[in-house]
């Protein structure tokens, strides 16, 4: 997933960013509402970790702004405000979950996964079949004839993106966005390199190249 962290505590923000990246997600981290608003305006995020007490305002303002127009981004509030009334207010404004500081990083990623599953379930099938290849988004795995394939985090990120809408063409820029955070330099041929590696593992017919437009997953029978 592409995840936005809005957190002004630098030690905590860095720790969360590193832990979430270990799970194979692309992560952007900002410390102010102003920067977070600019990021939301330019990037389609799957998930947001939102602190409330920020230097230039309350994170709930951003939460309400987002929910006025969209319910596509999952939002988990992370804050030191531990009163029941605070939790109720955040959830009423449209947050999907609420975790109070200090929290365990492993619990945080477990909550991210739980909320993400709730978002994915009504939208699309958790599994997709293309020939002898099975892509299982819930378990973050790809198998061939029942045998698990060893994919890197970057390779999985591409397979997960393409399998969201089999047959839909994703541009190289869209795949770049799924692979890397905003502060990461991307080589011009990075996507092509990863696609080539993937095809060696899943076969040449699973990922199609659409000349001048990008790549798509072959539209096989859903599982």
């Amino acid at each position: 997933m592409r995840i936005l962290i809005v957190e002004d505590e630098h030690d905590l923000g860095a720790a969360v960013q590193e832990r979430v990246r270990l799970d194979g997600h692309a992560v952007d981290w900002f410390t102010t509402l102003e920067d977070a608003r600019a990021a939301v305006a330019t990037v389609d995020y799957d998930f947001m970790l939102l602190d409330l007490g920020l230097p230039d305002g309350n994170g709930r303002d951003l939460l309400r702004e987002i929910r006025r127009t969209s319910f596509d981004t999952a939002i988990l509030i992370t804050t030191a405000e531990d009163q029941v009334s605070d939790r109720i207010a955040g959830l009423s404004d449209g947050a999907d979950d609420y975790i109070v500081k200090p929290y365990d990083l492993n619990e945080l990623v477990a909550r991210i996964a739980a909320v993400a599953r709730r978002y994915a379930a009504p939208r699309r099938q958790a599994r997709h079949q293309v020939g002898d290849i099975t892509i299982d988004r819930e378990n973050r795995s790809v198998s061939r004839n029942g045998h698990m394939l060893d994919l890197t985090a970057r390779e999985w990120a591409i397979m997960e993106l393409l399998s969201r809408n089999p047959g839909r063409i994703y541009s190289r820029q869209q795949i770049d966005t799924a692979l890397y955070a905003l502060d990461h330099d991307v080589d011009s041929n990075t996507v092509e390199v990863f696609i080539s590696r993937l095809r060696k593992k899943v076969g040449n017919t699973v990922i199609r190249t659409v000349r001048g437009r990008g790549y798509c997953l072959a539209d096989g029978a859903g599982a």
Side-chain angles (χ1 to χ4, degrees):
M1 293 186 294
R2 187 67 181 268
I3 297 179
L4 172 63
I5 299 171
V6 187
E7 172 60 64
D8 67 324
E9 295 182 31
H10 285 270
D11 289 344
L12 177 59
V16 171
Q17 183 182 48
E18 180 179 2
R19 180 63 184 84
V20 174
R21 278 180 172 169
L22 285 175
D23 259 21
H25 303 296
V27 184
D28 299 327
W29 169 32
F30 298 102
T31 60
T32 66
L33 281 178
E34 180 181 3
D35 288 342
R37 284 190 178 101
V40 169
T42 56
V43 176
D44 184 16
Y45 288 101
D46 301 297
F47 209 106
M48 180 185 300
L49 301 175
L50 179 62
D51 187 19
L52 297 186
L54 297 164
D56 54 346
N58 192 302
R60 283 178 55 199
D61 293 336
L62 178 59
L63 170 61
R64 287 191 291 264
E65 291 168 15
I66 293 172
R67 287 302 186 237
R68 288 190 193 108
T69 59
S70 173
F71 283 86
D72 291 336
T73 301
I75 300 177
L76 191 159
I77 289 177
T78 65
T79 182
E81 298 179 8
D82 60 356
Q83 298 298 312
V84 173
S85 58
D86 296 323
R87 301 184 194 186
I88 292 174
L91 294 172
S92 297
D93 285 336
D96 297 284
D97 200 356
Y98 199 113
I99 190 168
V100 177
K101 301 175 185 178
Y103 50 78
D104 182 84
L105 292 177
N106 291 325
E107 179 186 358
L108 177 67
V109 296
R111 285 175 179 256
I112 291 172
V115 172
R117 284 195 297 271
R118 296 203 299 269
Y119 266 68
R123 295 183 190 175
R124 50 186 180 262
Q125 294 175 320
R127 302 177 71 207
H128 184 73
Q129 190 79 30
V130 185
D132 58 1
I133 298 295
T134 302
I135 304 161
D136 187 336
R137 283 183 295 275
E138 183 173 353
N139 294 309
R140 298 170 58 83
S141 66
V142 178
S143 58
R144 187 170 193 174
N145 287 324
H147 299 287
M148 300 297 295
L149 299 180
D150 184 17
L151 301 188
T152 67
R154 302 298 188 195
E155 291 167 351
W156 165 251
I158 293 176
M159 291 298 288
E160 194 279 333
L161 175 66
L162 297 181
S163 66
R164 293 181 186 182
N165 295 283
R168 172 182 168 181
I169 300 169
Y170 289 86
S171 68
R172 191 175 67 80
Q173 183 177 2
Q174 288 173 310
I175 298 175
D176 279 344
T177 298
L179 286 176
Y180 299 110
L182 292 174
D183 60 353
H184 194 106
D185 292 330
V186 182
D187 294 334
S188 60
N189 66 340
T190 296
V191 170
E192 288 79 0
V193 169
F194 282 119
I195 294 291
S196 176
R197 292 176 182 173
L198 271 171
R199 283 174 170 155
K200 291 178 180 179
K201 296 180 181 181
V202 303
N204 291 327
T205 61
V206 175
I207 300 175
R208 295 176 49 225
T209 299
V210 182
R211 187 177 299 277
R213 298 180 63 188
Y215 303 92
C216 68
L217 192 72
D219 192 4

